[in-house]
Amino acid sequence: MAILNIRNLTVRFATATGSFTAVDGVDIRVDRGEVLAIVGESGSGKSVSMLAVMGLLPDTATVTADEMTYDGRDLLAMTAAERRRLIGREITMIFQEPIASLNPAFTVGFQIEEVLRLNLGLGRREARARALELFRAVGIPSPEEKLKSYPHQLSGGQCQRVMIAIAIASKPRLLIADEPTTALDVTIQKQILDLLMDLQEDYGMALILITHDMGVVAETADRVVVQYKGRKMEDADVLSIFESPQNPYTKALLSALPENATGDRLPTVSDFFAAEAAR
Amino acid sequence: MSAVVLEGRRLVQDYHVPGGLFGGAKTVRALKGIDFKVEKGKTLVIVGESGSGKSTLARIIALIDAPSDGELLIDGQRVDISKTRPGPAMRSKVQMVFQNPYGSLNPRQKIGNVLMEPLVINTDVPADERRARAEAMLVKVGLGPEHFNRYPHMFSGGQRQRIAIARALMLNPSLLVLDEPVSALDLSVQAQVLNLLADLQDEFGLTYVFVSHDLSVVRYIADDVMVISEGVAVEQGTREEVFADPKHPYTRQLFAATPITDVEAIRARVARRKAAKAAKAA
């Protein structure tokens, strides 16, 4: 059963030199409790399609789709107020730069309690207790103390844990993580991915992981969507993508991984397209 | 055994953090005595996480910062930039490429001038010769002479990194220090830049000191590997030694944390996940 279903999504940006199509007729479906990885390089439109779902695109963007439904409800036809009740509660998002995502002028405790009070209507004391619970759930050491810390006093990994705590505060049914570990060291990346996967299983929420890192995809996804220049190239379960990729771009991307190198030089994506064109 | 181009002996770097309103001054020891040797034409990769001191070491090797203690030898000759500024000859031997190709090029400087500047400062090559060399170098790194008069913003990230590499090669260095040169690049562009570096190494017999945190890249390009953690070289050896049999717990931890794209590993994970789901449903 699909929790998010998008058909023929197109996002255009009005620019000084005319209209630019960032996402071009993309279909994305996520089932309940499923982990979907959207993979692509910069400019593939992987973030833009999810920002369209969240309603976070600037005014210069035009979003059109044949269908964009969350749990059977039409996101495009919703009023702004209805959408606000959904976004940030049932659908939440975390971003690449955890330190930049938090407000430097307030303690992280204040920021998570604000979400709990505004979104869930908790009182001050309840919010404090729940914040503590959430900090424990995401594995922040000495949580009582950390609630009183400002973002700059925490490491990147800890800030990302705070962001995750805020994102799961309302027990969302869909969490969108946009490159959540790109700015982090590998050992911290592992901890954060393990945490996201544990939470995903415990809460039974669907997780959309936007990434450029095939390693992250291999370690987390159930299903994978590969995007290139705003178009969907391939959509398959994770094993098929790595074992028997169908699309030439997916094949090229996998053969460009240094760990798959067989010869002296790495095959590149442009070599691949040149070979395809020559055939 | 070929000649040792670069050697470090007990290199130490201290950073002095001045006292502020709320605390006294303190000293942070970023490097705690590092020893290493690199032979001509080889690639030494320095692996570590943020705060390990890997970039501090790269800056010492590139003659940007002077170490607090220890010796740095280039071509067997002791170099101490705290006493005497390195002359044009020494500057020509060692060049550096930085991580972020968006930040390392002056947005107001045309590419041609970026490439010719090292020649203006360090040599007395005449203007027409400078231009000819810069154009030839653009071709060498996979760009063209038509890019000579363009500005950095007109290039993609991968092209800018090629420009940064071209600039570093203008003085015919024997040693290139590359600080995370492909971390900011997309996978397909990363492959192109790694190939370019391999081509250039073969052609000019370059010695590389390559700083990286990405073990799949390390495995692909390294001859020798040094793993550093909190300013200490916890593991050193050839690529085969380090990858086949990591000795230090930190190295093992680093390997364990690195995601694998191996099909069998994915198959096992998918099976585990299915089993866990079934157990939960039951």
Side-chain angles (χ1 to χ4, degrees):
Chain A
M1 172 81 189
I3 190 149
L4 183 72
N5 200 3
I6 301 171
R7 278 193 303 116
N8 195 19
L9 173 72
T10 299
V11 181
R12 285 197 188 83
F13 287 96
T15 67
T17 51
S19 160
F20 171 75
T21 309
V23 179
D24 192 358
V26 167
D27 299 344
I28 292 172
R29 197 196 79 242
V30 196
D31 288 338
R32 288 194 178 144
E34 186 183 38
V35 180
L36 173 76
I38 304 180
V39 202
E41 307 191 300
S42 40
S44 64
K46 60 189 192 295
S47 297
V48 173
S49 49
M50 286 304 117
L51 290 173
V53 171
M54 296 294 284
L56 291 174
L57 289 171
D59 292 339
T60 51
T62 322
V63 180
T64 58
D66 291 350
E67 182 185 346
M68 195 201 263
T69 52
Y70 166 77
D71 203 17
R73 282 179 277 173
D74 189 351
L75 285 168
L76 292 171
M78 256 176 212
T79 64
E82 280 173 330
R83 214 183 156 106
R84 270 202 303 278
R85 275 197 291 276
L86 217 56
I87 304 296
R89 291 182 203 177
E90 292 197 29
I91 312 177
T92 58
M93 188 160 180
I94 57 174
F95 300 91
Q96 175 172 354
E97 285 288 339
I99 300 175
S101 306
L102 291 163
N103 189 331
F106 295 96
T107 64
V108 293
F110 177 88
Q111 294 182 58
I112 187 168
E113 284 161 31
E114 183 182 36
V115 171
L116 292 166
R117 284 189 284 128
L118 291 177
N119 267 346
L120 304 180
L122 297 187
R124 206 169 280 275
R125 212 166 282 154
E126 292 166 309
R128 172 52 56 105
R130 177 88 178 112
L132 208 55
E133 233 173 80
L134 285 163
F135 269 32
R136 285 204 187 97
V138 297
I140 294 174
S142 47
E144 290 91 347
E145 254 168 70
K146 290 286 153 54
L147 280 173
K148 293 179 212 132
S149 303
Y150 288 88
H152 74 269
Q153 295 169 316
L154 304 179
S155 67
Q158 283 177 345
C159 280
Q160 196 58 291
R161 284 177 197 270
V162 172
M163 285 309 296
I164 293 171
I166 292 175
I168 62 164
S170 55
K171 296 206 165 133
R173 294 168 68 202
L174 173 62
L175 174 64
I176 302 171
D178 187 355
E179 304 265 10
T181 57
T182 306
L184 307 175
D185 281 329
V186 277
T187 47
I188 312 295
Q189 162 168 295
K190 171 133 181 75
Q191 294 169 11
I192 295 289
L193 291 178
D194 287 348
L195 171 66
L196 280 173
M197 294 305 288
D198 286 348
L199 291 169
Q200 186 271 330
E201 274 178 26
D202 291 350
Y203 287 47
M205 65 183 174
L207 176 66
I208 299 180
L209 203 64
I210 303 170
T211 181
H212 69 283
D213 187 333
M214 296 306 277
V216 170
V217 176
E219 300 257 338
T220 55
D222 294 325
R223 204 156 49 79
V224 182
V225 166
V226 181
Q227 274 187 220
Y228 180 65
K229 291 195 174 161
R231 291 220 174 85
K232 185 160 93 171
M233 294 285 123
E234 191 159 357
D235 185 342
D237 67 276
V238 63
L239 200 55
S240 313
I241 288 278
F242 282 90
E243 200 171 28
S244 50
Q246 297 302 311
N247 186 279
Y249 177 70
T250 316
K251 286 182 194 165
L253 208 55
L254 288 170
S255 61
L257 285 173
E259 59 260 44
N260 291 350
T262 44
D264 220 16
R265 297 288 185 272
L266 289 164
T268 66
V269 172
S270 43
D271 293 345
F272 217 91
F273 281 136
E276 284 283 312
R279 256 199 349 218
Chain B
M1 192 173 138
S2 56
V4 172
V5 176
L6 173 72
E7 186 174 352
R9 290 181 191 157
R10 299 177 308 282
L11 286 172
V12 172
Q13 184 68 290
D14 291 329
Y15 286 119
H16 302 284
V17 183
L21 192 54
F22 303 111
K26 57 180 178 179
T27 302
V28 178
R29 182 150 287 193
L31 289 180
K32 298 165 185 162
I34 303 247
D35 293 286
F36 62 91
K37 276 182 191 171
V38 195
E39 288 172 20
K40 184 170 170 50
K42 299 280 184 182
T43 302
L44 167 72
V45 180
I46 305 172
V47 189
E49 302 200 305
S50 43
S52 62
K54 60 188 194 299
S55 293
T56 299
L57 182 56
R59 289 173 67 87
I60 292 173
I61 298 169
L63 308 179
I64 296 171
D65 292 337
S68 312
D69 199 9
E71 291 175 11
L72 183 71
L73 291 92
I74 292 171
D75 283 339
Q77 192 188 342
R78 191 165 171 207
V79 188
D80 186 354
I81 62 165
S82 65
K83 296 209 179 73
T84 45
R85 276 171 61 89
M90 190 49 80
R91 280 276 182 240
S92 304
K93 272 187 196 167
V94 189
Q95 286 289 316
M96 183 152 180
V97 176
F98 295 91
Q99 171 172 5
N100 183 350
Y102 293 85
S104 59
L105 296 172
N106 181 347
R108 300 232 209 166
Q109 200 176 23
K110 285 180 182 169
I111 298 312
N113 293 331
V114 171
L115 297 191
M116 292 190 302
E117 192 165 85
L119 295 176
V120 174
I121 295 170
N122 291 295
T123 69
D124 43 17
V125 174
D128 52 344
E129 168 79 20
R130 285 202 297 265
R131 188 178 172 107
R133 283 202 205 172
E135 287 180 353
M137 188 56 78
L138 280 172
V139 175
K140 192 126 274 171
V141 299
L143 298 166
E146 70 274 17
H147 295 118
F148 190 86
N149 279 322
R150 295 193 190 160
Y151 289 96
H153 76 265
M154 300 160 94
F155 294 90
S156 67
Q159 286 175 320
R160 282 184 223 201
Q161 203 56 300
R162 285 170 193 268
I163 293 164
I165 293 168
R167 187 207 54 79
L169 291 176
M170 282 307 287
L171 292 166
N172 295 323
S174 51
L175 175 66
L176 211 53
V177 181
L178 303 129
D179 190 356
E180 304 258 16
V182 294
S183 313
L185 306 177
D186 276 329
L187 191 58
S188 59
V189 184
Q190 166 178 302
Q192 291 171 359
V193 172
L194 289 176
N195 285 344
L196 171 66
L197 288 171
D199 291 342
L200 294 168
Q201 186 165 41
D202 289 351
E203 187 174 345
F204 299 109
L206 292 168
T207 306
Y208 289 154
V209 173
F210 194 108
V211 177
S212 182
H213 70 279
D214 185 337
L215 286 167
S216 62
V217 172
V218 177
R219 185 172 215 154
Y220 174 68
I221 56 149
D223 292 305
D224 295 301
V225 178
M226 167 158 71
V227 181
I228 86 172
S229 169
E230 296 178 9
V232 180
V234 295
E235 183 135 5
Q236 270 174 297
T238 64
R239 172 181 60 178
E240 288 72 22
E241 286 165 8
V242 173
F243 278 89
D245 182 22
K247 299 266 187 313
H248 196 274
Y250 177 76
T251 316
R252 292 201 199 122
Q253 191 194 338
L254 212 55
F255 285 0
T258 303
I260 351 173
T261 53
D262 177 59
V263 171
E264 288 314 310
I266 299 170
R267 199 190 303 281
R269 179 181 70 78
V270 170
R272 268 202 310 278
R273 203 166 140 79
K274 270 204 184 120
K277 258 192 184 161
K280 212 175 175 187

